[in-house]
Amino acid sequence: MDKYYGIYYFICIIWCLAFIGMTLYLYFNNSRPYVAKFKERFYPRIPSNLNPGELSNLMYKKVFPEVFTATIMVLVKKDILILKRHKKEYTLSLNKLDAKLSPSQKLVLNILINDIGNGEKVTFKQIEDYCKSPRNCSEFLLNYQLWSKMITKESNKKRFYEDKTQYNQVKSMRMIGIILFLINIIFNYHSLIGYAIIVPACFIVLYFYKIYKRTESANEEYSKWLAFKRYLVHIDDFVYQKDDIASYIIYGLVLKMPDLEKKLTDFHCVEKLNNLITHNVVMANLKGSRSFHR
């Protein structure tokens, strides 16, 4: 038994060295970002004509509720929706339909005007109250999930990330690690390294799924958007174009700058709208049913 234990222990050592080598390979080839040529601290203009979903994909590789709110504001900017304030109440009214809207934009419009509103308009109060019932939570959850898939599919048309490699090798390493862990138990070796090996065996697959690497051109664009965000943070120190304020606010939502609207306008409603949308997303996930039927 001691002879076989020595072989087992040696294989575990080899596996651990292979794990270290594979982790380093994944980091340098699938995770470590390219060195950006763009070095400026501030970028005083909009870096590129990305929509909110594309920007969120570029910056975070995820879609957040802020993208939903930013899409609403894009519809306002296009005059599809009209945003009005009467006393303390804000209203979004349907102004016109545009066949050129993307599927995700059309769905946002439908959720807002037809599901939450009355088919012609919706008030902030209606948005605030919408997810107070379990039925509405379920409906909003399914619509939001559908929208999230749509906006992700649309934003993925632009290739921001490189394809990952070595997936089969990672799966094989995990399988071998699990087998070594089971052998340690079945044959009563009770080796410390045999028990501990299960942790890196599970970690390497999770690490593979979590890491990503922007393409070289996307990394340059990412660096410019970071510099643009710093510009927006310090926008009071610059001379800026008044005509770009609406775009600044839209991109500021995706860049997670909730106080930007207060700096640029006296019409403070976008942050409130975003809070209502985010609250509904949270409530829908907590109380909504994923098997909801109309």
Side-chain angles (χ1 to χ4, degrees):
M1 182 63 69
D2 289 343
K3 173 185 175 182
Y4 292 113
Y5 174 77
I7 295 173
Y8 169 78
Y9 189 84
F10 177 74
I11 293 173
C12 287
I13 294 295
I14 295 298
W15 187 94
C16 290
L17 293 174
F19 165 79
I20 294 172
M22 178 61 73
T23 303
L24 290 174
Y25 178 89
L26 292 175
Y27 170 73
F28 285 106
N29 288 275
N30 294 333
S31 178
R32 187 185 186 186
Y34 290 103
V35 177
K37 297 176 183 177
F38 179 82
K39 303 294 184 182
E40 301 297 323
R41 178 166 175 76
F42 300 105
Y43 198 76
R45 59 183 181 275
I46 299 171
S48 57
N49 188 30
L50 297 181
N51 63 44
E54 291 168 342
L55 179 58
S56 184
N57 187 20
L58 173 67
M59 301 303 291
Y60 318 113
K61 212 176 187 297
K62 290 181 180 179
V63 174
F64 294 99
E66 285 82 0
V67 179
F68 193 99
T69 310
T71 301
I72 295 174
M73 297 314 299
V74 168
L75 296 174
V76 172
K77 186 182 176 184
K78 290 184 174 183
D79 292 327
I80 307 297
L81 293 172
I82 296 177
L83 177 60
K84 293 182 179 179
R85 176 174 59 185
H86 178 67
K87 296 182 179 179
K88 293 184 178 180
E89 181 61 281
Y90 294 95
T91 303
L92 286 160
S93 303
L94 182 61
N95 183 41
K96 62 180 180 179
L97 293 175
D98 189 342
K100 295 181 180 179
L101 294 179
S102 69
S104 63
Q105 289 174 330
K106 290 178 181 178
L107 182 55
V108 167
L109 199 60
N110 183 65
I111 294 170
L112 205 62
I113 299 299
N114 295 324
D115 291 344
I116 303 177
N118 62 6
E120 296 180 358
K121 63 181 180 180
V122 63
T123 65
F124 278 24
K125 180 63 175 173
Q126 287 175 304
I127 298 173
E128 181 179 8
D129 294 340
Y130 187 69
C131 280
K132 288 186 176 180
S133 74
R135 179 180 177 82
N136 287 348
C137 282
S138 298
E139 183 171 342
F140 187 84
L141 177 62
L142 291 183
N143 283 329
Y144 182 83
Q145 290 175 334
L146 177 60
W147 167 81
S148 182
K149 290 178 181 178
M150 281 184 177
I151 195 74
T152 300
K153 182 178 180 180
E154 291 170 5
S155 64
N156 282 338
K157 290 179 180 178
K158 290 194 175 182
R159 186 172 178 265
F160 293 129
Y161 298 93
E162 295 187 348
D163 297 328
K164 288 187 281 190
T165 59
Q166 305 300 315
Y167 176 60
N168 290 332
Q169 289 85 341
V170 167
K171 283 201 306 182
S172 297
M173 284 204 65
R174 177 186 62 177
M175 182 59 64
I176 294 171
I178 292 173
I179 291 172
L180 290 172
F181 173 77
L182 294 175
I183 289 174
N184 190 45
I185 297 173
I186 293 171
F187 289 93
N188 295 317
Y189 289 152
H190 300 301
S191 168
L192 181 60
I193 192 172
Y195 286 124
I197 210 169
I198 193 66
V199 177
C202 294
F203 166 81
I204 194 166
V205 175
L206 292 175
Y207 179 66
F208 181 84
Y209 280 121
K210 289 290 184 181
I211 61 175
Y212 55 84
K213 185 173 184 175
R214 294 180 183 86
T215 64
E216 193 166 4
S217 59
N219 195 59
E220 289 296 319
E221 192 168 3
Y222 173 75
S223 300
K224 291 179 181 178
W225 278 99
L226 286 179
F228 176 68
K229 180 178 181 178
R230 285 190 289 269
Y231 163 72
L232 293 180
V233 170
H234 300 279
I235 197 167
D236 292 336
D237 300 331
F238 296 88
V239 177
Y240 57 89
Q241 297 293 325
K242 302 294 183 182
D243 293 341
D244 290 334
I245 287 178
S247 296
Y248 290 165
I249 292 173
I250 290 169
Y251 288 128
L253 281 167
V254 183
L255 294 171
K256 300 185 180 297
M257 302 178 62
D259 296 328
L260 182 61
E261 184 188 24
K262 294 179 180 179
K263 291 183 179 181
L264 301 176
T265 71
D266 296 323
F267 195 59
H268 302 158
C269 63
V270 178
E271 183 179 353
K272 181 178 180 180
L273 175 62
N274 187 58
N275 289 337
L276 296 178
I277 296 297
T278 302
H279 177 263
N280 282 351
V281 173
V282 172
M283 295 305 296
N285 277 286
L286 289 175
K287 297 183 177 180
S289 171
R290 285 162 175 80
S291 60
F292 173 77
H293 297 285
R294 292 177 184 270

